[in-house]
Amino acid sequence: MNTQAPECLGPYRLVRKIGEGGMGVVHLGLDGEGREVAIKVLHPHVAADLKARDRLTREVETMRRVRSPHVAEVLDAELVGGQPYVVTRFAPGRTLEDTVLADGALEAREIIRLTQGLCKALVAIHAADVIHRDFKPSNVMLVDGEPLVIDFGIAHLVNATRLTQTGMFVGTPGYLAPEIIRDSEITQAADVHALASTVFFAATGAPPFGTGTFEAVCFNIMEGRAQIDKAPAWLRGWLSRALQVDPEARPSAHELLRMAKALDPSVTSFNQTTFDGPTGTKRIGNRTRAMENFSDLLPPVEYGKPAPPPPQRREEKPPPYVPAPMPARPPRPDQRVAGYPAPQPTSPSQVRPYSPPPAPRQYTPPAERRRYLFGSQLTGLLLLVTLVALTVMMPVMVGAVAVVLALVLRLGEYLFGDLVKRRQVRGSSAADPLLALVGTPWALIKSALVTCVHVPLALLFGVCVWGVLYWAGQMTVNDAAAYAAGAFAAGLFVLPGGGAPRKAVTRSLTGVLRSPGAALVAVVLVGTAALFAVMFALGQNPDWYPWQAPESVIKTLASEAEQSTIGLITGLIGSLLDDLGLGFLTNWF
């Protein structure tokens, strides 16, 4: 098994890789309707663990209960096959890490918007009894200024405190909670700690527990030595509450959201904001209005008895150590899936200068998507041209085949289209074949009824084309009827009601043409066949087997009608003369 996945996984087409981490590879993909999704293919060492698969199966079902505009919801999952994958919503944009590294720390209003959005996401996640366990700036996308939590679910596939064979944590050390590093019981309070660390990075452009060696950062986390003084003054109380070393002392997700709604950049709170009891009554100590000049940078004036320092601030001096210098670095490749942190350079010669990422562009569908869809749609159009040309050459036989083909394609779309939609809602299931078998009779009845209504519409369209070509185009009856038959065949797919056969053709071609090269070859081959079919249709007389040519049929019907009409009139006149005693006059007729 290899995470370099094939061109297709189930009903999804893989377009390009957009991220990779310790748990798997993330691809930009297209579903059966051509919509963009993020497909996360698990690494072999994860997929080979049967217990991990069982746990992931339960957690995917749990994640489906999370409904929040700030969480990239799970759309589908295949966990029993040889290559397990999870499908989530694709979010175009930049990660919070990319944005801060490129543009600097966020402004106050952006920080508040980010904080409240992340708190709402955390409330929804915890309401589903899930622990995210990997909140960090690279797992937060900014979409039109609103935060979107991504990589939801894979981060807690395995215990975040368990070391892998490489001896590295599942998660980014600078954003882990102390209890994860100590290998103690992990609760939802760990997400609160990680969320606050992420907000600190957005507000300052640096991790809250400093930079340096892995051991130095972990020591600062376990000792609660967050650099709160680097954060804006109005945010320090909120950060202090959420970054408590003791998980029991941290607020819940709901309380954290209430505190976030009370944030005000115009108020500098040097004492933390607290909430009295379960009622959530807010109590704020010494508040000082932020001045419009730089006077707030001066030492505060003591008007009364100073408030005691926060209990979590320790008076003892930390053991002396000098963190290793940490130059600015480009974003890690692990931006779409939770996993191991990228290895850090071990010597100054290995450190590459940081070059900021390019400025964000307005989102447009990727070129790969246009190529895939255009190739499939163009191939389908050429197939329709070929069918129309064959119908012009053999109107009766190919016209009947076109009706049967439209019926079969409509039946397939009703069966397999509904199956794909169910999988997008609840994932794959062992009962899918049974449901398809049970639904076959109803799909057959439905497709037959729709076809019975659609065929007369296509016939009417063909008659209109015949009238235009015969009366306005001065064509012969046979030629106009042949082109009318071609219009009838085209109407089965292009007129209103032909959407189901078209979707079935597109879905089939998308599954067969698995690369731009295959689509190009198909376009060339089908285009050549269509060209020859059109040339033969224009250069030879149509074959009306097993019927006669329309012109012969019309002449025969007209002759029979004329003969029967004259005989009727003669009979009526003879009967009238006999009644009048003038029967001898019938010899004159």
Side-chain angles (χ1 to χ4, degrees), residues 121-157:
L122 191 61
V123 168
I125 293 172
H126 288 181
D129 295 327
V130 179
I131 305 175
H132 188 283
R133 298 192 186 182
D134 201 32
F135 265 100
K136 58 183 179 181
S138 61
N139 279 351
V140 176
M141 299 290 295
L142 293 180
V143 183
D144 296 329
E146 289 290 340
L148 180 72
V149 178
I150 61 174
D151 301 322
F152 173 57
I154 292 184
H156 59 294
L157 171 61

Short mmCIF file of all heavy atoms in Angstrom, two decimals, residues 121-157:
data_model
loop_
_atom_site.label_atom_id
_atom_site.label_comp_id
_atom_site.label_asym_id
_atom_site.label_seq_id
_atom_site.Cartn_x
_atom_site.Cartn_y
_atom_site.Cartn_z
N ALA A 121 -15.99 27.06 17.03
CA ALA A 121 -15.62 25.74 16.50
C ALA A 121 -15.36 24.76 17.63
O ALA A 121 -15.79 23.60 17.58
CB ALA A 121 -14.40 25.86 15.59
N LEU A 122 -14.67 25.22 18.66
CA LEU A 122 -14.35 24.33 19.79
C LEU A 122 -15.61 23.93 20.54
O LEU A 122 -15.73 22.78 21.00
CB LEU A 122 -13.37 25.04 20.74
CG LEU A 122 -12.74 24.15 21.81
CD1 LEU A 122 -11.95 23.02 21.16
CD2 LEU A 122 -11.84 24.96 22.73
N VAL A 123 -16.57 24.84 20.67
CA VAL A 123 -17.84 24.49 21.32
C VAL A 123 -18.53 23.37 20.55
O VAL A 123 -19.04 22.40 21.13
CB VAL A 123 -18.75 25.73 21.43
CG1 VAL A 123 -20.17 25.33 21.82
CG2 VAL A 123 -18.19 26.71 22.45
N ALA A 124 -18.55 23.47 19.21
CA ALA A 124 -19.20 22.44 18.40
C ALA A 124 -18.46 21.11 18.49
O ALA A 124 -19.07 20.04 18.55
CB ALA A 124 -19.29 22.90 16.95
N ILE A 125 -17.13 21.16 18.50
CA ILE A 125 -16.34 19.93 18.58
C ILE A 125 -16.55 19.24 19.92
O ILE A 125 -16.79 18.03 19.99
CB ILE A 125 -14.85 20.25 18.36
CG1 ILE A 125 -14.63 20.71 16.91
CG2 ILE A 125 -13.98 19.03 18.65
CD1 ILE A 125 -13.22 21.22 16.64
N HIS A 126 -16.49 20.00 21.01
CA HIS A 126 -16.65 19.40 22.33
C HIS A 126 -18.08 18.95 22.57
O HIS A 126 -18.32 18.02 23.34
CB HIS A 126 -16.21 20.40 23.40
CG HIS A 126 -14.72 20.59 23.45
ND1 HIS A 126 -14.10 21.44 24.35
CD2 HIS A 126 -13.73 20.04 22.69
CE1 HIS A 126 -12.80 21.39 24.15
NE2 HIS A 126 -12.55 20.56 23.15
N ALA A 127 -19.05 19.60 21.93
CA ALA A 127 -20.44 19.16 22.08
C ALA A 127 -20.64 17.77 21.49
O ALA A 127 -21.57 17.05 21.89
CB ALA A 127 -21.39 20.15 21.41
N ALA A 128 -19.79 17.36 20.55
CA ALA A 128 -19.86 16.03 19.95
C ALA A 128 -18.98 15.03 20.70
O ALA A 128 -18.75 13.93 20.20
CB ALA A 128 -19.44 16.08 18.49
N ASP A 129 -18.46 15.42 21.87
CA ASP A 129 -17.61 14.54 22.69
C ASP A 129 -16.35 14.13 21.95
O ASP A 129 -15.94 12.96 21.94
CB ASP A 129 -18.39 13.30 23.14
CG ASP A 129 -19.54 13.65 24.06
OD1 ASP A 129 -19.40 14.62 24.82
OD2 ASP A 129 -20.56 12.95 24.02
N VAL A 130 -15.73 15.09 21.29
CA VAL A 130 -14.50 14.85 20.54
C VAL A 130 -13.42 15.78 21.06
O VAL A 130 -13.70 16.90 21.50
CB VAL A 130 -14.72 15.10 19.02
CG1 VAL A 130 -13.44 14.86 18.25
CG2 VAL A 130 -15.82 14.20 18.50
N ILE A 131 -12.19 15.30 21.05
CA ILE A 131 -11.03 16.12 21.39
C ILE A 131 -10.19 16.26 20.13
O ILE A 131 -9.75 15.26 19.54
CB ILE A 131 -10.18 15.48 22.51
CG1 ILE A 131 -11.05 15.19 23.74
CG2 ILE A 131 -9.02 16.39 22.88
CD1 ILE A 131 -10.30 14.45 24.82
N HIS A 132 -9.98 17.49 19.69
CA HIS A 132 -9.24 17.71 18.45
C HIS A 132 -7.77 17.33 18.61
O HIS A 132 -7.20 16.66 17.77
CB HIS A 132 -9.36 19.17 18.02
CG HIS A 132 -8.80 19.45 16.66
ND1 HIS A 132 -7.44 19.55 16.41
CD2 HIS A 132 -9.41 19.63 15.47
CE1 HIS A 132 -7.25 19.80 15.14
NE2 HIS A 132 -8.42 19.86 14.53
N ARG A 133 -7.13 17.81 19.65
CA ARG A 133 -5.77 17.47 20.06
C ARG A 133 -4.67 18.06 19.18
O ARG A 133 -3.51 17.77 19.43
CB ARG A 133 -5.56 15.95 20.12
CG ARG A 133 -6.46 15.27 21.13
CD ARG A 133 -6.01 13.84 21.36
NE ARG A 133 -6.95 13.15 22.23
CZ ARG A 133 -6.80 11.91 22.63
NH1 ARG A 133 -5.75 11.24 22.26
NH2 ARG A 133 -7.70 11.33 23.41
N ASP A 134 -5.00 18.83 18.18
CA ASP A 134 -3.92 19.39 17.36
C ASP A 134 -4.28 20.77 16.85
O ASP A 134 -4.07 21.08 15.67
CB ASP A 134 -3.58 18.47 16.21
CG ASP A 134 -2.17 18.73 15.66
OD1 ASP A 134 -1.31 19.12 16.46
OD2 ASP A 134 -1.96 18.55 14.46
N PHE A 135 -4.83 21.63 17.71
CA PHE A 135 -5.03 23.04 17.34
C PHE A 135 -3.66 23.68 17.18
O PHE A 135 -2.81 23.62 18.08
CB PHE A 135 -5.80 23.77 18.45
CG PHE A 135 -7.27 23.83 18.21
CD1 PHE A 135 -8.12 22.95 18.85
CD2 PHE A 135 -7.82 24.77 17.36
CE1 PHE A 135 -9.49 23.00 18.63
CE2 PHE A 135 -9.17 24.83 17.13
CZ PHE A 135 -10.01 23.94 17.78
N LYS A 136 -3.44 24.29 16.03
CA LYS A 136 -2.19 25.01 15.79
C LYS A 136 -2.41 25.91 14.58
O LYS A 136 -3.37 25.73 13.82
CB LYS A 136 -1.03 24.05 15.54
CG LYS A 136 -1.23 23.09 14.38
CD LYS A 136 -0.06 22.13 14.26
CE LYS A 136 -0.26 21.15 13.12
NZ LYS A 136 0.85 20.19 13.00
N PRO A 137 -1.58 26.91 14.36
CA PRO A 137 -1.81 27.86 13.27
C PRO A 137 -1.87 27.22 11.88
O PRO A 137 -2.60 27.70 11.01
CB PRO A 137 -0.60 28.81 13.38
CG PRO A 137 -0.21 28.73 14.82
CD PRO A 137 -0.47 27.33 15.23
N SER A 138 -1.12 26.14 11.66
CA SER A 138 -1.16 25.51 10.34
C SER A 138 -2.41 24.67 10.13
O SER A 138 -2.66 24.20 9.02
CB SER A 138 0.08 24.63 10.13
OG SER A 138 0.12 23.59 11.09
N ASN A 139 -3.21 24.46 11.17
CA ASN A 139 -4.46 23.72 11.05
C ASN A 139 -5.67 24.64 11.08
O ASN A 139 -6.80 24.17 11.30
CB ASN A 139 -4.59 22.69 12.18
CG ASN A 139 -3.82 21.43 11.87
OD1 ASN A 139 -3.32 21.26 10.77
ND2 ASN A 139 -3.70 20.55 12.84
N VAL A 140 -5.45 25.92 10.90
CA VAL A 140 -6.54 26.90 10.86
C VAL A 140 -6.42 27.65 9.54
O VAL A 140 -5.40 28.28 9.25
CB VAL A 140 -6.48 27.89 12.04
CG1 VAL A 140 -7.56 28.95 11.91
CG2 VAL A 140 -6.61 27.14 13.36
N MET A 141 -7.45 27.55 8.71
CA MET A 141 -7.50 28.29 7.46
C MET A 141 -8.25 29.60 7.68
O MET A 141 -9.18 29.66 8.50
CB MET A 141 -8.21 27.47 6.38
CG MET A 141 -7.56 26.16 6.04
SD MET A 141 -6.00 26.34 5.18
CE MET A 141 -6.56 27.08 3.65
N LEU A 142 -7.86 30.63 6.96
CA LEU A 142 -8.57 31.90 6.97
C LEU A 142 -9.29 32.04 5.63
O LEU A 142 -8.65 32.19 4.58
CB LEU A 142 -7.61 33.07 7.18
CG LEU A 142 -6.94 33.12 8.57
CD1 LEU A 142 -6.01 34.32 8.66
CD2 LEU A 142 -7.99 33.19 9.67
N VAL A 143 -10.61 31.94 5.66
CA VAL A 143 -11.44 32.02 4.48
C VAL A 143 -12.30 33.27 4.59
O VAL A 143 -13.22 33.32 5.41
CB VAL A 143 -12.33 30.77 4.33
CG1 VAL A 143 -13.13 30.84 3.04
CG2 VAL A 143 -11.47 29.51 4.36
N ASP A 144 -11.96 34.28 3.81
CA ASP A 144 -12.66 35.57 3.86
C ASP A 144 -12.64 36.14 5.28
O ASP A 144 -13.61 36.72 5.76
CB ASP A 144 -14.11 35.43 3.39
CG ASP A 144 -14.19 35.01 1.92
OD1 ASP A 144 -13.29 35.40 1.16
OD2 ASP A 144 -15.15 34.30 1.55
N GLY A 145 -11.51 35.97 5.96
CA GLY A 145 -11.34 36.52 7.29
C GLY A 145 -11.89 35.67 8.41
O GLY A 145 -11.61 35.94 9.58
N GLU A 146 -12.65 34.63 8.09
CA GLU A 146 -13.22 33.75 9.12
C GLU A 146 -12.34 32.51 9.28
O GLU A 146 -11.86 31.95 8.29
CB GLU A 146 -14.64 33.33 8.75
CG GLU A 146 -15.67 34.45 8.83
CD GLU A 146 -15.94 34.86 10.27
OE1 GLU A 146 -15.65 34.07 11.20
OE2 GLU A 146 -16.43 35.99 10.47
N PRO A 147 -12.12 32.05 10.52
CA PRO A 147 -11.29 30.86 10.72
C PRO A 147 -12.06 29.59 10.40
O PRO A 147 -13.27 29.49 10.61
CB PRO A 147 -10.95 30.94 12.21
CG PRO A 147 -12.10 31.65 12.83
CD PRO A 147 -12.57 32.65 11.80
N LEU A 148 -11.34 28.61 9.87
CA LEU A 148 -11.91 27.30 9.59
C LEU A 148 -10.92 26.25 10.09
O LEU A 148 -9.78 26.20 9.63
CB LEU A 148 -12.16 27.13 8.09
CG LEU A 148 -12.76 25.78 7.68
CD1 LEU A 148 -14.22 25.70 8.11
CD2 LEU A 148 -12.65 25.58 6.18
N VAL A 149 -11.36 25.44 11.04
CA VAL A 149 -10.51 24.39 11.60
C VAL A 149 -10.48 23.23 10.63
O VAL A 149 -11.53 22.69 10.26
CB VAL A 149 -11.02 23.94 12.98
CG1 VAL A 149 -10.15 22.82 13.54
CG2 VAL A 149 -11.04 25.12 13.95
N ILE A 150 -9.28 22.83 10.21
CA ILE A 150 -9.14 21.73 9.26
C ILE A 150 -8.45 20.57 9.96
O ILE A 150 -8.09 20.65 11.13
CB ILE A 150 -8.35 22.16 8.01
CG1 ILE A 150 -6.94 22.61 8.41
CG2 ILE A 150 -9.06 23.26 7.28
CD1 ILE A 150 -6.05 22.92 7.23
N ASP A 151 -8.26 19.48 9.21
CA ASP A 151 -7.63 18.27 9.74
C ASP A 151 -8.33 17.78 10.98
O ASP A 151 -7.71 17.28 11.91
CB ASP A 151 -6.14 18.52 10.04
CG ASP A 151 -5.39 18.95 8.81
OD1 ASP A 151 -5.71 18.41 7.74
OD2 ASP A 151 -4.55 19.83 8.91
N PHE A 152 -9.63 17.94 11.01
CA PHE A 152 -10.41 17.55 12.17
C PHE A 152 -10.62 16.05 12.14
O PHE A 152 -11.22 15.52 11.23
CB PHE A 152 -11.75 18.27 12.15
CG PHE A 152 -12.71 17.81 13.20
CD1 PHE A 152 -12.36 17.85 14.51
CD2 PHE A 152 -13.95 17.35 12.85
CE1 PHE A 152 -13.25 17.44 15.48
CE2 PHE A 152 -14.85 16.93 13.80
CZ PHE A 152 -14.49 16.97 15.12
N GLY A 153 -10.10 15.33 13.11
CA GLY A 153 -10.36 13.91 13.22
C GLY A 153 -9.11 13.07 13.10
O GLY A 153 -8.94 12.12 13.84
N ILE A 154 -8.22 13.38 12.19
CA ILE A 154 -7.05 12.54 12.02
C ILE A 154 -6.06 12.78 13.15
O ILE A 154 -5.33 11.89 13.55
CB ILE A 154 -6.40 12.81 10.66
CG1 ILE A 154 -7.33 12.31 9.55
CG2 ILE A 154 -5.05 12.15 10.54
CD1 ILE A 154 -6.76 12.43 8.18
N ALA A 155 -6.07 13.98 13.73
CA ALA A 155 -5.10 14.28 14.78
C ALA A 155 -5.26 13.37 15.98
O ALA A 155 -4.29 13.06 16.66
CB ALA A 155 -5.25 15.74 15.23
N HIS A 156 -6.46 12.93 16.30
CA HIS A 156 -6.64 12.07 17.47
C HIS A 156 -6.92 10.64 17.07
O HIS A 156 -7.60 9.91 17.76
CB HIS A 156 -7.74 12.61 18.37
CG HIS A 156 -9.08 12.74 17.70
ND1 HIS A 156 -9.33 13.60 16.68
CD2 HIS A 156 -10.26 12.08 17.91
CE1 HIS A 156 -10.59 13.51 16.30
NE2 HIS A 156 -11.17 12.58 17.02
N LEU A 157 -6.35 10.25 15.93
CA LEU A 157 -6.44 8.84 15.54
C LEU A 157 -5.66 7.97 16.52
O LEU A 157 -6.10 6.90 16.92
CB LEU A 157 -5.87 8.66 14.13
CG LEU A 157 -5.67 7.23 13.64
CD1 LEU A 157 -7.01 6.51 13.60
CD2 LEU A 157 -5.02 7.21 12.29
#
